Amino acid sequence: MLCVAGVKFQLPAAPPTTYSIYSSILPLRRGRGLTGLKNLGNTCYMNSILQCLSNTVQLTEYCISDKYKDYISRSNSRTNGHVIEEVAALIKELWNGQYKCVASRDLRYIVGQYQQIFRGFDQQDSHEFLTILMDWLHSDLQTLRVARQRETMSASEKAWLEFTKAKESMILHLFYGQMKSTVKCVACHKESATYECFSNLSLELPPNSNVCQLSQCMDMYFSGERIHGWNCPNCKTKRDAIKKLDISKLPPVLVVHLKRFYADPSNSCAYIKKQNYLRFPLENLEMNPYIARAESRAGTPKTYQLYAVSNHYGSMEGGHYTAFCKSANYGKWFKFDDQIVTTLDTSNVVSSAAYILFYTRLPPMQLSL
């Protein structure tokens, strides 16, 4: 039984043969979960994200057990359940241990049907692909009805209900959190709060810093900023105010996007890549300093462990994506470079190529397939 955010999913019983036996007789490139993905023409951005999702253990169990079939939303007019079906089919191929590499042609065709930028052979942004894919997967599985008494809800709970339309999904329970945005008048100290859901955090890198820490990026994001001309409802006039963000609901899987690309005004706004070397923790990422008071009182864990990284090498004109993932079965890190999968020393996980970080607060879970 898998339980995520209070929702239980029945998983298949483990087979009599354990993975440790297979790992001793199968070549590395044919280990379960160690299957590469062919590059179908600048699809490394897609391959990188799919390998990171494939190593999200709870999602993989959900797909391989076929439990997702019980929750497909056929009334979803956007993607009609097609995206989750293709993602699940691909994850099964990545985990059956029969192939050195497979091709994601069917999934690529489906996502191209629903989003034109993914049809051709141009390089795309892995963060944009991930954000759109998360939205599609949530819509495909948004069938879990949630009954709540609206009159007893807090403001954050009402905002969450409005976002979900009283229907949730496994994707929502795993990847989505909620942000509280508070605006405070500097004159009368009147506060106004709004809430918004997120599937990943997009953090700026510190300017003029070749080497920086993830904590610096977090501090910049959550420190607050001064805004001008806010219509204060108490002062009845425009005032300066402080706008501050706090996390009101932490997701079990926290995805952190680093804003490496920016428009350079001195060069006709051409996009430039920031090559900062970012130091980020592999273990014990502490999120307690960045959460709202209500969330801080909740009993949910607030410490995260890294399990996957989507990397970008090169520039906007000629870049390449890979993934670093920690195998739940081997307990070791591996590099996924399209069709090639190799072992990775833990000391090499942190690099200047890191673009999207995948953290989990869920307890370790070994795939029994």
Side-chain angles (χ1 to χ4, degrees), residues 215 218 250 281 283-291 301-304 359:
S215 59
M218 291 282 192
L250 278 165
E283 297 181 347
N284 300 321
L285 171 66
E286 181 56 62
M287 293 301 295
N288 201 61
Y290 312 113
I291 61 178
K302 299 167 183 67
T303 304
Y304 288 76
Y359 283 92

Side-chain angles (χ1 to χ4, degrees), residues 225-292:
E225 61 176 331
R226 195 178 189 94
I227 59 177
H228 306 286
W230 182 60
N231 289 311
C232 177
N234 191 50
C235 296
K236 307 298 182 182
T237 187
K238 292 184 181 296
R239 295 288 194 188
D240 282 4
I242 302 297
K243 180 180 180 180
K244 189 178 185 306
L245 298 176
D246 296 287
I247 297 177
S248 55
K249 184 180 179 65
L250 278 165
V253 175
L254 179 66
V255 180
V256 179
H257 163 239
L258 306 171
K259 292 184 176 180
R260 290 198 175 274
F261 303 103
Y262 69 99
D264 184 3
S266 65
N267 188 21
S268 303
C269 287
Y271 273 86
I272 307 296
K273 181 184 177 183
K274 294 181 180 179
Q275 301 285 358
N276 306 55
Y277 183 94
L278 180 77
R279 293 195 176 105
F280 48 89
L282 276 62
E283 297 181 347
N284 300 321
L285 171 66
E286 181 56 62
M287 293 301 295
N288 201 61
Y290 312 113
I291 61 178

Side-chain angles (χ1 to χ4, degrees), residues 43-315:
T43 57
C44 57
Y45 72 94
M46 188 180 298
N47 293 346
S48 173
I49 294 302
L50 292 172
Q51 293 290 8
C52 291
L53 293 181
S54 173
N55 282 276
T56 305
V57 182
Q58 287 72 19
L59 175 61
T60 294
E61 283 275 13
Y62 190 62
C63 291
I64 293 177
S65 67
D66 283 339
K67 194 63 180 178
Y68 75 94
K69 293 182 178 179
D70 298 333
Y71 299 96
I72 295 179
S73 175
R74 296 300 181 187
S75 61
N76 167 28
S77 59
R78 299 177 64 195
T79 49
N80 301 296
H82 295 155
V83 175
I84 181 58
E85 287 179 325
E86 293 302 334
V87 167
L90 182 62
I91 286 178
K92 290 176 183 178
E93 286 192 325
L94 293 175
W95 282 88
N96 65 21
Q98 297 180 20
Y99 312 108
K100 293 179 181 178
C101 65
V102 295
S104 57
R105 290 189 178 88
D106 291 343
L107 176 59
R108 183 170 182 265
Y109 173 78
I110 287 295
V111 299
Q113 293 301 300
Y114 294 119
Q115 182 59 260
Q116 187 174 355
I117 61 172
F118 301 138
R119 291 181 191 175
F121 297 97
D122 294 334
Q123 183 68 271
Q124 301 299 332
D125 179 37
S126 70
H127 174 246
E128 183 175 13
F129 174 71
L130 171 65
T131 303
I132 294 173
L133 183 63
M134 284 292 101
D135 184 44
W136 284 340
L137 291 173
H138 167 57
S139 297
D140 275 354
L141 294 167
Q142 194 176 7
T143 56
L144 297 171
R145 291 193 173 275
V146 180
R148 295 192 179 108
Q149 295 297 321
R150 193 177 182 89
E151 55 272 12
T152 62
M153 288 182 184
S154 64
S156 64
E157 290 172 331
K158 289 179 181 178
W160 184 265
L161 186 68
E162 290 171 2
F163 174 76
T164 62
K165 299 178 177 62
K167 288 185 179 180
E168 300 186 355
S169 71
M170 172 67 161
I171 300 299
L172 186 86
H173 293 158
L174 272 179
F175 294 97
Y176 280 72
Q178 187 186 59
M179 197 71 67
K180 178 183 180 180
S181 175
T182 305
V183 180
K184 183 177 181 179
C185 178
V186 298
C188 71
H189 306 296
K190 171 70 176 179
E191 290 187 359
S192 176
T194 56
Y195 298 87
E196 186 175 347
C197 291
F198 67 90
S199 61
N200 59 79
L201 298 179
S202 287
L203 307 182
E204 297 281 358
L205 294 168
N208 305 318
S209 178
N210 293 328
V211 180
C212 52
Q213 303 278 351
L214 179 59
S215 59
Q216 291 177 263
C217 302
M218 291 282 192
D219 291 343
M220 288 171 53
Y221 187 81
F222 291 103
S223 63
E225 61 176 331
R226 195 178 189 94
I227 59 177
H228 306 286
W230 182 60
N231 289 311
C232 177
N234 191 50
C235 296
K236 307 298 182 182
T237 187
K238 292 184 181 296
R239 295 288 194 188
D240 282 4
I242 302 297
K243 180 180 180 180
K244 189 178 185 306
L245 298 176
D246 296 287
I247 297 177
S248 55
K249 184 180 179 65
L250 278 165
V253 175
L254 179 66
V255 180
V256 179
H257 163 239
L258 306 171
K259 292 184 176 180
R260 290 198 175 274
F261 303 103
Y262 69 99
D264 184 3
S266 65
N267 188 21
S268 303
C269 287
Y271 273 86
I272 307 296
K273 181 184 177 183
K274 294 181 180 179
Q275 301 285 358
N276 306 55
Y277 183 94
L278 180 77
R279 293 195 176 105
F280 48 89
L282 276 62
E283 297 181 347
N284 300 321
L285 171 66
E286 181 56 62
M287 293 301 295
N288 201 61
Y290 312 113
I291 61 178
R293 286 191 295 270
E295 174 70 2
S296 66
R297 292 192 294 268
T300 55
K302 299 167 183 67
T303 304
Y304 288 76
Q305 319 300 322
L306 186 76
Y307 72 92
V309 183
S310 174
N311 302 295
H312 181 273
Y313 301 87
S315 63

